[in-house]
Amino acid sequence: MARPSLKNFRRIVVKVGSSLLVDSTAGEVRTRWLSALAADIAKLHEGGRELLVVSSGSIALGRSRLKLPRGPLKLEESQAAAAVGQIALARIWSEMLGTHGIGTGQILVTLQDTEERRRYLNARSTIAKLLEWRAVPVINENDTVATNEIRYGDNDRLAARVATMASADLLILLSDIDGLYDAPPTDNPTAKLIPIVESVTSEIEAMAGAAGSELSRGGMRTKIEAARIATTAGTHMLIASGKIEHPLRAIADGERCTWFLTPANPVTARKRWIAGSLEPKGTLTIDAGAVSALRAGKSLLPAGVIRVDGQFARGDAVVVRGPDTDEIGRGLVAYDAEDAEKIKGRSSPDVMVILGVSGRAEMIHRDDLVVGGPRHSDPT
């Protein structure tokens, strides 16, 4: 399958992690590297493309400014360090892009800003206006107020959520590794890079490793989850090395990376929100017949459900998996978990008899369902 070309994308999100942005020994920004990245962003921007940056580094910079010792921080210490670091991070990005005549805007988000529909739309509108003004939004999790229970936990998933919220064509995850390998390359010297992933299957998920950096919360596992969020919502994604100077130019020149391709079918703004849900409350496993029906654009009926997992209420987001455990899609379920368990595998006319009330015929209506489809290589 042909590899997509960077020049064919209009709206691009670039995610930069702490381990790339901050020198862990000195506790300072790697200025030369960031200057080269800013030059890459400026070139794409000059070519008419719209750029967004998801940048880690606030806590790491705050630690350095406050001269805090190494080791884990308590929640309130992390929040305070982020408060100091966010100012430094915003200034650095503003200065770097400002040398190219590009304005920047800082956006700090929490999990609720993307999980709640109204706040999601507000954030989306702010991003759209900044892009209209040809500014580059620099986005980070608001670590000063986010608690462990209500945070993204990594900027890979945050970047995927931002990409879907902004209706981006492409998400680029700059990493300390140049892509997805069929085995962890640190443990297996014969591991092979996978250049193109057409669909995030359970086999692809099994290839993911764990986090390997003190400054980075994420690892390959979170990048695979980010790929699932992005591609299901209609955004291509790639993982590329950020350890080299001018990493975006290297991608354009065809350097090694892994592309995750998106379904050909367009996805509405509302379905982008559903597809990108970071906190699904449960899982519905369905039979092969139901898988075919969903891929044909049908709703999910109770008869096709063979297993119900999790504690969810009516209207919650749930994951839908096929009998082979591959994720088929995500949707807003019409029944709570207890009732879903009672009616699974039963025909729609039986629902009223079993529950004693007249409910919806569908477990998930097609308007509330996002299904991954056939993959293709055309970024337009």
Side-chain angles (χ1 to χ4, degrees), residues 179-226:
L180 174 66
Y181 285 76
D182 59 3
T186 53
D187 301 330
N188 187 345
T190 64
K192 296 180 180 179
L193 179 79
I194 302 173
I196 295 179
V197 175
E198 296 183 51
S199 179
V200 180
T201 63
S202 54
E203 181 182 5
I204 293 296
E205 289 178 324
M207 296 177 186
S213 167
E214 175 188 342
L215 291 177
S216 175
R217 292 193 188 96
M220 190 55 68
R221 193 175 305 278
T222 68
K223 290 174 175 56
I224 296 301
E225 175 63 14

Side-chain angles (χ1 to χ4, degrees), residues 338-349:
E338 183 179 356
D339 287 344
E341 179 66 34
K342 293 176 181 177
I343 64 176
K344 70 179 183 183
R346 305 298 292 268
S347 64
S348 297

Side-chain angles (χ1 to χ4, degrees), residues 238-259:
L238 69 85
I239 300 171
S241 174
K243 299 177 73 173
I244 58 176
E245 289 193 4
H246 296 286
L248 301 185
R249 185 173 69 188
I251 294 169
D253 291 341
E255 288 293 330
R256 289 161 59 91
C257 64
T258 298
W259 286 86

Side-chain angles (χ1 to χ4, degrees), residues 95-354:
E95 291 177 352
M96 288 292 181
L97 292 174
T99 60
H100 300 278
I102 300 173
T104 58
Q106 184 188 46
I107 300 177
L108 300 176
V109 297
T110 61
L111 185 63
Q112 289 92 337
D113 292 324
T114 54
E115 296 299 281
E116 294 180 12
R117 178 68 171 161
R118 186 175 65 178
R119 292 165 70 169
Y120 169 95
L121 292 174
N122 287 338
R124 177 183 168 93
S125 295
T126 300
I127 289 172
K129 183 55 67 175
L130 286 170
L131 294 176
E132 180 185 329
W133 289 340
R134 298 296 290 154
V136 172
V138 177
I139 303 161
N140 193 9
E141 183 164 13
N142 193 348
D143 290 308
T144 61
V145 298
T147 66
N148 290 332
E149 292 77 19
I150 56 169
R151 64 178 300 113
Y152 296 94
D154 64 87
N155 272 13
D156 293 324
R157 296 196 308 158
L158 169 59
R161 202 66 170 106
V162 167
T164 63
M165 181 168 57
S167 299
D169 306 304
L170 175 65
L171 167 61
I172 298 175
L173 299 185
L174 295 179
S175 176
D176 54 5
I177 191 171
D178 55 4
L180 174 66
Y181 285 76
D182 59 3
T186 53
D187 301 330
N188 187 345
T190 64
K192 296 180 180 179
L193 179 79
I194 302 173
I196 295 179
V197 175
E198 296 183 51
S199 179
V200 180
T201 63
S202 54
E203 181 182 5
I204 293 296
E205 289 178 324
M207 296 177 186
S213 167
E214 175 188 342
L215 291 177
S216 175
R217 292 193 188 96
M220 190 55 68
R221 193 175 305 278
T222 68
K223 290 174 175 56
I224 296 301
E225 175 63 14
R228 182 183 297 286
I229 292 169
T231 57
T232 302
T235 300
H236 285 69
M237 193 191 93
L238 69 85
I239 300 171
S241 174
K243 299 177 73 173
I244 58 176
E245 289 193 4
H246 296 286
L248 301 185
R249 185 173 69 188
I251 294 169
D253 291 341
E255 288 293 330
R256 289 161 59 91
C257 64
T258 298
W259 286 86
F260 294 81
L261 305 184
T262 188
N265 56 297
V267 182
T268 66
R270 182 171 183 276
K271 288 201 173 188
R272 282 178 180 267
W273 173 66
I274 295 172
S277 175
L278 296 177
E279 299 297 329
K281 303 300 183 183
T283 301
L284 301 180
T285 303
I286 63 177
D287 60 30
V291 172
S292 298
L294 297 194
R295 294 205 184 281
K298 305 294 185 181
S299 297
L300 175 61
L301 303 178
V305 179
I306 58 179
R307 178 172 173 173
V308 176
D309 293 292
Q311 293 297 320
F312 52 84
R314 178 182 177 183
D316 282 344
V318 295
V319 174
V320 180
R321 294 188 179 274
D324 56 0
T325 74
D326 281 351
E327 183 172 319
I328 305 302
R330 298 188 180 200
L332 305 181
V333 67
Y335 292 92
D336 61 29
E338 183 179 356
D339 287 344
E341 179 66 34
K342 293 176 181 177
I343 64 176
K344 70 179 183 183
R346 305 298 292 268
S347 64
S348 297
D350 291 340
V351 172
M352 183 175 177
V353 175
I354 295 170

Side-chain angles (χ1 to χ4, degrees), residues 1-44:
M1 179 165 291
R3 167 179 166 150
S5 174
L6 196 60
K7 66 182 180 181
N8 292 332
F9 296 94
R10 179 184 60 88
R11 183 172 292 178
I12 302 171
V13 176
V14 180
K15 179 261 179 178
V16 181
S18 293
S19 59
L20 297 176
L21 189 70
V22 180
D23 183 320
S24 60
T25 301
E28 294 294 334
V29 171
R30 298 171 60 219
T31 305
R32 178 175 170 178
W33 178 86
L34 184 55
S35 177
L37 174 62
D40 287 354
I41 291 173
K43 185 173 182 180
L44 290 170

